[in-house]
Amino acid sequence: MISSRTSLSGRRGMVIVVALFFAFSLMILVAGMLYQHKNVSGRNRLSLENQQAFFAARAAIQHLLLKAKLFPTELYDSVEFTTGKSPLCDFTEFTGSENFQLVTGFSGVYFRIKPEQEKAMDGKPKYFYLKVPGANDIYLKMGSFYNPEYRYLEKGLVDPDPSKKYTSPKAPKLDYSPRKFLDYYVRDCTNTLVDGKHLQPSLEMPIADNLPTVNSWKISTSDKYPYTMTYKVNKINLQAMKELRRYNEEAIEIEVEGSIIDVKFNPAKPDKGGRYSQVQRKVQKITRRGPPP
């Protein structure tokens, strides 16, 4: 009888141990699921805000490209000013010695055999070309054979290297503020404050007042947004593009930045979260309207 009771008590003890084991395992499983859900939710939120910052940066590119479409000549001239080049001069580099023929009686002066439209009505060449000294098989349309400075905005920009003498000026003096025209060109390609002024008030996207969480925002009750979205053009630099073989064409690299500021942003602790930014770059060809003088 005692043996039977002892056996029954031992079985009950095993059942309790097994039940506790399964309960503990279930607790670990639930805790793991909650932790994973929290991590996934955080990653999804971070991915969403990064995507919002991505499209904010795209807005800056589209804004600048729209202005470039409406005012291409002003953009081209501003880019040329930054390097010290005169935008009215032809900096196109031509190659292919088989297409050029030396002008009789001149040293280093050529005319193009093709295309036919470079010949006048009497069959004589309309334009003449200089073979760049020190460079292999590169020709420039002539404006002044003896004075390369006419191609640049100020004196003293001619590079002593013969291969760069007519094409790549030295950096202009900072006293002339060579980037000021370009800086003013991109000045209004933003939806945020510039020098404390609202340049594009209709494009601003301020966050709604007294918004505790993003999920509490409703489009039907607010005339603002669940986050602040800003974009701007950081800088524009001249780039090299192999396909450029014409006057009035340049390639530029555009760098823009888009930012999202949500309800978690604390101005006192800007590095603790709530602000998400993305920088994008794009190489774009620009064209100046109108023929060279």
Side-chain angles (χ1 to χ4, degrees):
M1 191 71 171
I2 295 176
S3 177
S4 177
R5 289 180 178 178
T6 302
S7 176
L8 181 61
S9 176
R11 291 178 180 177
R12 288 178 178 176
M14 286 296 297
V15 170
I16 292 173
V17 171
V18 172
L20 289 175
F21 174 78
F22 277 105
F24 183 72
S25 300
L26 184 61
M27 183 178 66
I28 294 177
L29 179 62
V30 171
M33 292 177 63
L34 291 175
Y35 180 77
Q36 184 179 13
H37 175 74
K38 183 178 179 180
N39 284 346
V40 170
S41 177
R43 287 196 298 269
N44 288 342
R45 180 63 188 165
L46 182 61
S47 177
L48 173 63
E49 288 162 333
N50 284 332
Q51 281 295 103
Q52 291 169 341
F54 169 83
F55 285 109
R58 294 297 300 174
I61 292 178
Q62 294 302 318
H63 191 158
L64 179 61
L65 292 182
L66 175 61
K67 184 170 183 178
K69 183 178 180 179
L70 298 174
F71 303 101
T73 300
E74 289 79 0
L75 177 58
Y76 178 91
D77 291 355
S78 300
V79 170
E80 295 292 87
F81 290 156
T82 64
T83 63
K85 292 181 179 180
S86 170
L88 298 180
C89 286
D90 189 348
F91 288 87
T92 306
E93 297 182 12
F94 300 88
T95 59
S97 57
E98 68 278 3
N99 298 322
F100 292 86
Q101 183 174 325
L102 188 65
V103 177
T104 305
F106 290 88
S107 175
V109 180
Y110 295 77
F111 67 92
R112 292 181 78 184
I113 304 172
K114 296 179 180 180
E116 292 296 327
Q117 57 264 33
E118 293 213 357
K119 292 183 179 180
M121 296 292 293
D122 57 1
K124 295 181 179 180
K126 293 191 295 183
Y127 306 110
F128 298 92
Y129 296 84
L130 165 70
K131 189 170 185 179
V132 179
N136 184 27
D137 193 27
I138 295 180
Y139 301 82
L140 294 172
K141 186 176 290 186
M142 286 184 57
S144 175
F145 180 77
Y146 299 102
N147 179 23
E149 287 192 351
Y150 84 98
R151 305 171 69 83
Y152 307 128
L153 294 176
E154 58 176 304
K155 293 184 177 180
L157 296 186
V158 175
D159 196 303
D161 186 344
S163 63
K164 299 179 180 179
K165 187 175 181 179
Y166 293 89
T167 56
S168 303
K170 294 186 293 185
K173 299 176 183 177
L174 296 180
D175 296 344
Y176 292 93
S177 302
R179 292 191 64 90
K180 64 182 178 181
F181 291 101
L182 187 57
D183 290 341
Y184 269 88
Y185 188 91
V186 303
R187 180 181 170 88
D188 64 342
C189 294
T190 181
N191 72 333
T192 188
L193 293 176
V194 178
D195 297 333
K197 298 179 180 179
H198 297 269
L199 298 183
Q200 298 286 355
S202 60
L203 299 180
E204 293 180 9
M205 292 184 61
I207 194 169
D209 300 324
N210 302 319
L211 189 66
T213 64
V214 173
N215 294 332
S216 62
W217 178 83
K218 296 182 182 301
I219 191 172
S220 59
T221 59
S222 178
D223 59 346
K224 294 185 179 180
Y225 303 89
Y227 51 80
T228 297
M229 186 273 279
T230 62
Y231 64 81
K232 62 180 180 179
V233 179
N234 284 339
K235 59 184 178 181
I236 295 178
N237 293 321
L238 200 63
Q239 278 287 342
M241 186 178 287
K242 186 177 181 181
E243 293 77 12
L244 299 181
R245 286 293 181 267
R246 294 174 50 200
Y247 163 79
N248 76 354
E249 288 185 346
E250 285 284 9
I252 58 174
E253 183 187 51
I254 307 166
E255 180 182 293
V256 300
E257 182 178 352
S259 297
I260 296 295
I261 302 174
D262 66 9
V263 295
K264 296 181 293 182
F265 180 73
N266 183 358
K269 300 178 180 179
D271 299 330
K272 296 299 182 181
R275 183 185 183 96
Y276 305 86
S277 298
Q278 187 169 130
V279 174
Q280 294 184 22
R281 296 175 180 84
K282 178 180 177 62
V283 176
Q284 178 71 26
K285 185 179 73 173
I286 58 175
T287 304
R288 190 182 199 276
R289 290 179 180 170

